């Protein structure tokens, strides 16, 4: 599997493929697979600062589509599971998510918990489009703030 992923990353290497790479990497990184999209986003913007807004938009779309996939996985798993049995911690977390509703998807940008949060939102059958809207807002703000901060903190690039 590692060889396949390495081959895919070489195929999508920046800057030859640019925005398509950012779209694919940000999509995959939003799924339950462990991958970070920030290096691709930052690398493309550092190599081509004129693409700042298209890269931020593309990363937001890809990451939001990945979150929507997680929502669908959660919905599908809900339909498969007869009854769930969880510890009191899980039940409290589910209760919190049900009370907060789709707005909880604003936190979909968080490492470790963000992607599963989208899946649980689907499992709970929270409204799809409202969840996607909140996912998009949270992910957009993450990419915007992270990239702007990196450009300000590392104006000369990371290779020095």
């Amino acid at each position: 599997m590692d060889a396949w992923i390495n081959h895919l990353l070489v195929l999508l290497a920046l800057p030859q493929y640019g925005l398509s790479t950012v779209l694919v990497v940000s999509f995959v990184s939003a799924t339950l697979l462990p991958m970070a999209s920030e290096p691709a986003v930052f690398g493309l913007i550092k190599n081509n600062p004129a693409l700042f807004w298209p890269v931020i938009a593309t990363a937001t779309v890809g990451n939001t589509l990945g979150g929507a996939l997680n929502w669908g996985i959660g919905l599908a798993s809900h339909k498969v599971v007869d009854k769930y049995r969880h510890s009191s911690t899980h039940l409290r977390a589910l209760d919190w998510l049900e009370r907060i509703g789709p707005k909880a998807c604003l936190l979909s940008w968080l490492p470790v918990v963000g992607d599963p949060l989208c899946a649980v939102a689907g499992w709970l059958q929270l409204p799809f489009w409202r969840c996607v809207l909140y996912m998009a807002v949270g992910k957009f703000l993450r990419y915007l703030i992270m990239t702007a901060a990196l450009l300000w903190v590392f104006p000369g690039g990371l290779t020095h």
Side-chain angles (χ1 to χ4, degrees):
M1 178 102 173
D2 288 340
W4 179 82
I5 290 174
N6 287 336
H7 179 68
L8 179 63
L9 291 176
V10 168
L11 179 66
L12 297 172
L14 291 172
Q16 185 177 358
Y17 294 97
L19 291 175
S20 63
T21 299
V22 168
L23 182 69
V24 171
V25 170
S26 64
F27 175 83
V28 172
S29 73
T31 65
L32 300 175
L33 298 173
M35 178 183 254
S37 59
E38 289 80 3
V41 170
F42 184 65
L44 183 56
I45 290 173
K46 281 303 284 183
N47 287 333
N48 196 342
L51 289 178
F52 182 87
W53 289 112
V55 171
I56 295 297
T58 301
T60 299
V61 167
N63 217 243
T64 301
L65 290 172
L69 174 66
N70 289 340
W71 186 96
I73 290 169
L75 176 63
S77 66
H78 177 67
K79 292 182 179 200
V80 171
V81 176
D82 294 328
K83 289 287 179 183
Y84 59 92
R85 294 182 189 161
H86 293 292
S87 69
S88 61
T89 303
H90 289 117
L91 292 175
R92 281 195 310 270
L94 289 173
D95 181 56
W96 173 83
L97 188 55
E98 285 179 322
R99 280 187 285 117
I100 300 295
K103 290 178 185 170
C105 291
L106 278 170
L107 302 176
S108 65
W109 65 270
L110 288 170
V112 181
V113 298
D115 298 332
L117 177 69
C118 297
V120 173
W123 187 78
L124 292 173
Q125 299 179 17
L126 296 178
F128 176 75
W129 289 113
R130 286 183 56 207
C131 287
V132 169
L133 174 67
Y134 285 112
M135 284 179 222
V137 169
K139 290 169 184 291
F140 171 78
L141 291 173
R142 174 189 77 184
Y143 283 117
L144 179 64
I145 291 167
M146 178 268 318
T147 305
L150 284 174
L151 288 172
W152 180 70
V153 173
F154 300 105
L158 296 173
T159 58
H160 297 239

